[in-house]
Each structure stands twice: as C-alpha cells, then as structure tokens.
Amino acid sequence: MNRKKIAAGNWKMHKTFTEGQGLVQEIRTMAETELMNNAQLLIFPPYIHLQSLAKQLEGSNIGIGAQNIHQNEQGAYTGEISAAMLTSIGIHYTLVGHSERRQYYNETNESCAAKIVTALKHNIVPVYCIGETLAEREANQHFSIVETQLGALKGLSNEGITICIIAYEPVWAIGTGVTASSAQANEMHIHIRKVIAGLFTENVAQGISILYGGSVKPENAKELFAQSDIDGALIGGAALASRDFINIAKSF
Ligand code: 13P
C-alpha cells in the first residue's frame, strides 16, 4: 500500500509572530528548491500565526493546521477556538489529543472522540495523537493503553477514519532526547494498524498514515522512515529550525 509520507512540525508554544513568518519563509524556499520526494509537509503553529501563515503558504504544497480544536460548535468557552473559526481562515488540519494537552488540560479519550467528530464534520483533518507514559511502558501496559486511546475513533464511518492521521508519540520520548528505537516504534505502529483493522477493515488500516513522534531529528529520521509501518513524523523541537525540518523531510 502506497501511504502518504508526512513530515509534520508541531511548534507548540514557540515563535513570535515575526519569527514564525521568517521560519515559514525559510521552510517554503527550502521545500521548493530541495524537496523532491513527494513528502507532504504540515506545520502546526500557535493560533495567532494561522491566518497570516496560511496566506504566506498559498500556492505551496505545505499544509497548515491548529494544535487544538474545541469539540462544541460555539458558546461560552473562554479562550477556546471552534472548527468554524478555523475553516473561516482556511485551516483544514488540527492536532487532537497531544499528550501535553492530555497531561496539562485534562483531555481525555472521550473529549478527543468529540473533537475528532467535530473536526471531520467541518472538513478538518484530525491528527490524533496517542502514546503511553514511561510508567505504563514499564508496567507492560503500552499496547493496551494505545488500544484504549484508539477507542476514540470507534464511532467513525469508514469514510471518516480514512481522512484521519494517527501520530504515535510515546510520552517518555517527547522532548527528552530519547527516541523509541525504530524497532520499538514500528512494533507499536503494527499494533495500531491491527487495532484499526479490528475497529474498521484491513483495507482502512493499510491505508491510514501513522506518524511517529518523540525526539525525531535529521540523524534518526532515515532509520525510522525505513520501517514498514512508519509513514512519517510529528516533530517538535527539530521543527523549529528550517534546516532540520527539511532534512527530516528529505529522509524518506
Ligand atoms: P520533540 O520532537 O521535541 O520530542 O516533540 C515531539 C512532539 O511532541 C511533537 O508533537
């Protein structure tokens, strides 16, 4: 199965307005002059950047998305952003359930399920983030934790799930400099695909792109991308430097 290859940059809470414009300019120029492998680039900057960076990226193949979305259509939810607000400025991707949001903002598999439904309803591609903590891996619960997290997808139609992207990010590998070995990551990606085949069909499971995230760098990207079931990366720290981000994307 020829799955889409994706290098996605999650900027988290980094870059001022002008810094963001500068980074995107560099990424666009490098992508247009150097990136010849059909990799799909996606960036997930903070909300305040979305409108201007989406404009800056017009006419390029680089996609742009939000780091979070609210599950409700509108209402008294101070500080939140709705799906309709995102599409009204041309945004059609969002992260859902990043481990930092689960850890610091009490996001649950249930709230993630609602966010995914809302995103799809508004023609926004959800990148659903899952992954176990170190304690869960040490207790040998990593496969069951990820399976439970994938339960958030259960109510989707085959058409809906086909639009989604999955990102496996073991929490112990995020921002720590410790990458899951390519074998550990691939083993989990195979498990994820098996769970999705059980929830939907084998065909759906084979078609869905599953990204790995957690200390991905130009130095380890090639080996990760060479694995059978790793279709790309969700990159944190290394996505804040244009050269590193592009070099990762060139590693497919
Ligand atoms: P790092 O690449 O900095 O480990 O972050 C990974 C991540 O959380 C991307 O969403």
Side-chain angles (χ1 to χ4, degrees):
M1 174 84 60
N2 224 353
R3 290 186 289 269
K4 210 188 263 177
K5 305 293 181 200
I6 300 169
N10 174 11
W11 292 11
K12 308 193 179 182
M13 194 173 76
H14 292 286
K15 301 294 178 189
T16 64
F17 193 66
T18 44
E19 287 167 354
Q21 289 177 317
L23 178 55
V24 159
Q25 188 51 51
E26 289 169 20
I27 290 171
R28 182 172 183 168
T29 304
M30 287 183 194
E32 285 172 356
T33 52
E34 300 177 30
L35 195 58
M36 305 297 161
N37 62 6
N38 281 328
Q40 166 77 63
L41 293 183
L42 298 176
I43 59 165
F44 294 88
Y47 284 132
I48 63 139
H49 294 286
L50 289 173
Q51 186 171 19
S52 81
L53 296 188
K55 273 215 161 57
Q56 207 177 323
L57 288 170
E58 269 172 14
S60 80
N61 293 321
I62 303 171
I64 176 165
Q67 295 175 12
N68 182 35
I69 189 175
H70 199 274
Q71 56 270 39
N72 292 340
E73 294 292 333
Q74 59 183 346
Y77 301 103
T78 301
E80 294 292 323
I81 301 285
S82 74
M85 292 174 193
L86 292 175
T87 55
S88 72
I89 55 165
I91 299 299
H92 290 281
Y93 289 91
T94 188
L95 301 182
V96 172
H98 190 280
S99 64
E100 288 150 16
R101 298 216 48 94
R102 292 178 189 260
Q103 187 181 348
Y104 304 129
Y105 305 101
N106 303 319
E107 293 209 7
T108 61
N109 294 328
E110 291 68 36
S111 63
C112 290
K115 285 170 187 237
I116 290 166
V117 168
T118 301
L120 289 171
K121 184 173 157 206
H122 286 267
N123 209 13
I124 295 173
V125 176
V127 179
Y128 181 43
C129 304
I130 55 177
E132 81 285 358
T133 63
L134 184 59
E136 289 161 346
R137 180 164 280 262
E138 284 174 348
N140 207 27
Q141 295 170 338
H142 44 300
F143 291 121
S144 65
I145 289 289
V146 161
E147 184 164 354
T148 303
Q149 292 170 332
L150 287 168
L153 302 168
K154 219 168 10 200
L156 300 182
S157 63
N158 278 5
E159 197 189 357
I161 180 69
T162 303
I163 293 165
C164 297
I165 297 168
I166 307 290
Y168 169 59
E169 300 201 308
V171 177
W172 47 273
I174 295 177
T176 57
V178 181
T179 326
S181 70
S182 49
Q184 275 174 324
N186 201 45
E187 181 187 37
M188 184 59 87
H189 284 217
I190 290 169
H191 175 67
I192 291 167
R193 228 178 274 289
K194 201 173 332 150
V195 173
I196 291 176
L199 291 173
F200 301 95
T201 67
E202 183 60 32
N203 221 25
V204 163
Q206 287 305 322
I208 197 163
S209 290
I210 307 177
L211 316 183
Y212 167 77
S215 299
V216 176
K217 307 179 217 24
E219 294 74 33
N220 56 28
K222 227 183 193 64
E223 193 187 327
L224 286 162
F225 296 164
Q227 304 301 309
S228 63
D229 286 77
I230 299 181
D231 306 310
L234 182 55
I235 306 144
L240 299 173
S242 52
R243 175 43 62 205
D244 285 350
F245 185 54
I246 293 294
N247 281 356
I248 291 169
K250 287 162 80 176
S251 301
F252 286 107

